[in-house]
Amino acid sequence: MELEISKSVLTDIAASTLERIEGLSIAAASPRPGMLGGSFSGSIGDSLGSLNAGELPPVRRPRALKISREGNTVTLDVGLTIEYGKNLHSLAAQAQRALQENIELMTGLKVKAVNVTVQNLSLPAVAEAPKPPKAAKNSRPKDSA
């Protein structure tokens, strides 16, 4: 009996693995010619025909994550956005190790290669400075005369 594992399961494993690594995220996929943001194919009427009034189709932002499978081996191509100031080489290597370990552990498939491309840098989130306490109303002392 052979067990079939879909590409969407492999993609979800890879995405959740990378979400756990601080300082990086999966880059947005570059738009391909002839695609409308990569979110759906077919005509708009086909996509909207089955929706109820007021509903919008679910939009999944395409990401730079490609998985190829040949038999029991898997190859991953990942585009990453890394936070400015972080060590690019260290985070890319950490992503490769984590992806290989998790895919092999969870699926039993052999990872042939994990190709990582650093596509973007992001600025770190700036912490908001604490606001000074507000002065209480009527804080002036009253004249006793």
Side-chain angles (χ1 to χ4, degrees), residues 18-25 81-84 86 91 122:
L18 293 173
E19 285 173 2
R20 291 185 175 101
I21 300 174
E22 187 177 333
L24 65 80
S25 62
T81 296
I82 296 186
E83 191 176 292
Y84 180 81
K86 302 285 185 181
L91 281 176
S122 66

Side-chain angles (χ1 to χ4, degrees), residues 52-128:
N52 296 327
E55 264 184 51
L56 292 176
V59 177
R60 292 185 74 180
R61 191 178 99 193
R63 297 180 289 183
L65 175 60
K66 180 184 171 206
I67 298 178
S68 307
R69 183 172 171 190
E70 295 175 18
N72 287 333
T73 62
V74 177
T75 301
L76 293 96
D77 295 300
V78 182
L80 297 178
T81 296
I82 296 186
E83 191 176 292
Y84 180 81
K86 302 285 185 181
N87 185 313
L88 303 177
H89 185 269
S90 172
L91 281 176
Q94 184 180 354
Q96 286 178 313
R97 278 191 309 274
L99 286 168
Q100 180 179 4
E101 289 172 4
N102 284 342
I103 294 286
E104 289 180 352
L105 179 70
M106 293 183 190
T107 65
L109 299 172
K110 179 73 177 153
V111 175
K112 181 178 178 182
V114 179
N115 304 311
V116 173
T117 303
V118 177
Q119 292 182 335
N120 300 306
L121 292 177
S122 66
L123 295 176
V126 178
E128 192 173 308

